[in-house]
Amino acid sequence: MSIYQPTHRHHPDNAQDPIRFRNLVEQARDSLERAHQADAIDALLEPFHALADDAAFWNHTTEALAAFGAPGLFRVIRVQRQMAELAIVADSFHVKPLLRIQQSADRFQILSINRRDIRLFEGNRDALDEIEPAADVPATVTDALGDELPESQGQAHSYGTGPAAGGAGSNRGAGGAKTGGMRHGHGSKKDVVDQQTERYFRAVDRAVTEHHSKPSGLPLILAALPEYHAPFRALSHNAQLIESGIETNPEALSIDELRARAWQILEPLVLQRLAGLVERFGAAHAAQRGDDGLPQVAAAAAQGRVETLLVEAQRQLPGRLDASTGVPRAGEMAHPGVDDLLDDLAEQVLRTGGEVIVVPAERMPSSTGLAAIYRF
């Protein structure tokens, strides 16, 4: 079972969400009853009913959810984008809506940093949420440097640990909460602060690269005061850090303003990538190394020949795909075991190491709902 549903973050809009979820579960039951016994159906639906009754869950939703159930398995994913209601029972999970959500072309992370602490965000053009840094990511300068805070030549003493240390450049606000103490002596205080900042930036860059950017593969946008951009970029080894950034104090922006600023930076890159894929498909099709016909692409996918598959976001072709032969067979979506042929095709391409890109209808280079570039 695969269920997709738009949800709401706030009351009173979220009051109807569990009711709509129960209705989708009942739609799935109608399909299950065509081919399965009542006991098996009840066992499969039990975790779905438990979720519908979980008030705490429905009070902490995002823009949508995806729920998946099979014998011995139940998973729920909160999604940061509105999605159409959908309840499908089939031989495999329906994943095409999630593929679009998970594409790195449409998603990004933001690193908000100053010389004292950081914050991390993840989102897309529609929504942005703050995320908890991984355990090994130093959230504050004290986490990174601890008792090894640099000091200049001569006798050292502490400063920056009281309320005045918060300032406009701190992510943690008034009272100096979670800020690290700095030390200086008879040398240049600026040199000491610059040295500490460089060491902290290096530690943050290394940890964010290892624990966030590499695992996610998402573009990283730097949000910081203008004077921090050049020093951070000069030492960064993060391949996901993009050239443009948000050059202002991110603490002065609402989360929606931060999302909008980030999307202004990323949108041209997304459109450029899609345009490149469309151009590649045109060249491949002309050289007979690409196609947009379902039977031809399905056969190529079964042979592991599809390198890149573009599928139309909202298009559905009810049916089943024989993964071994690549033969597509039409069917009714209401029948258990029947899914979207485009979804089945996407799964087959992923299984053979290909890339799947879910594309808005207006950006598709074909009218069939799919376009494939072959390896050979």
Side-chain angles (χ1 to χ4, degrees), residues 258-276:
L258 192 62
R259 176 201 56 78
R261 293 277 193 100
W263 183 241
Q264 285 178 350
I265 293 169
L266 199 62
E267 184 177 24
L269 303 179
V270 172
L271 295 178
Q272 183 180 5
R273 184 186 181 210
L274 287 178

Side-chain angles (χ1 to χ4, degrees), residues 53-64:
D53 294 333
D54 187 347
F57 173 85
W58 296 104
N59 284 330
H60 297 88
T61 52
T62 53
E63 279 66 33

Side-chain angles (χ1 to χ4, degrees), residues 8 18 30 32 70 92 108 125 156 158 165 187 197 261 273 307 330 342:
H8 303 83
D30 292 341
L32 288 165
S92 62
F108 55 85
R125 71 182 78 184
S158 297
T197 300
R261 293 277 193 100
R273 184 186 181 210
E307 177 184 278
L342 295 178

Side-chain angles (χ1 to χ4, degrees), residues 233-274:
R233 293 178 186 281
L235 58 82
S236 176
H237 295 283
N238 191 332
Q240 301 304 120
L241 181 65
I242 65 177
E243 292 183 7
S244 299
I246 301 171
E247 297 192 17
T248 188
N249 179 9
E251 296 300 306
L253 302 176
S254 70
I255 196 165
D256 196 56
E257 290 171 330
L258 192 62
R259 176 201 56 78
R261 293 277 193 100
W263 183 241
Q264 285 178 350
I265 293 169
L266 199 62
E267 184 177 24
L269 303 179
V270 172
L271 295 178
Q272 183 180 5
R273 184 186 181 210
L274 287 178

Side-chain angles (χ1 to χ4, degrees), residues 158-213:
S158 297
Y159 74 95
T161 57
S170 172
N171 279 340
R172 301 299 172 177
K178 296 191 178 181
T179 61
M182 303 181 193
R183 293 192 249 175
H184 69 87
H186 299 304
S188 166
K189 181 170 72 174
K190 182 179 183 302
D191 289 344
V192 174
V193 172
D194 288 348
Q195 181 185 2
Q196 174 179 292
T197 300
E198 180 179 340
R199 291 184 63 193
Y200 181 49
F201 282 5
R202 286 187 186 279
V204 168
D205 178 70
R206 186 166 51 247
V208 169
T209 300
E210 188 66 28
H211 299 288
H212 289 278
S213 294

Side-chain angles (χ1 to χ4, degrees), residues 109-122 128-131 133 137-140 168-172 200-201 204-205 208 220-225 228-229 232 241 245-253 255 258:
Q109 292 180 338
I110 297 174
L111 171 62
S112 166
I113 191 168
N114 56 57
R115 62 166 56 108
R116 293 182 178 88
D117 50 28
I118 69 165
R119 296 172 70 188
L120 284 171
F121 301 84
E122 186 171 314
L128 183 70
D129 289 295
E130 185 167 2
I131 61 175
V137 175
T140 70
S170 172
N171 279 340
R172 301 299 172 177
Y200 181 49
F201 282 5
V204 168
D205 178 70
V208 169
L220 181 67
I221 298 173
L222 182 65
L225 289 168
Y228 296 144
H229 279 255
F232 188 88
L241 181 65
I246 301 171
E247 297 192 17
T248 188
N249 179 9
E251 296 300 306
L253 302 176
I255 196 165
L258 192 62

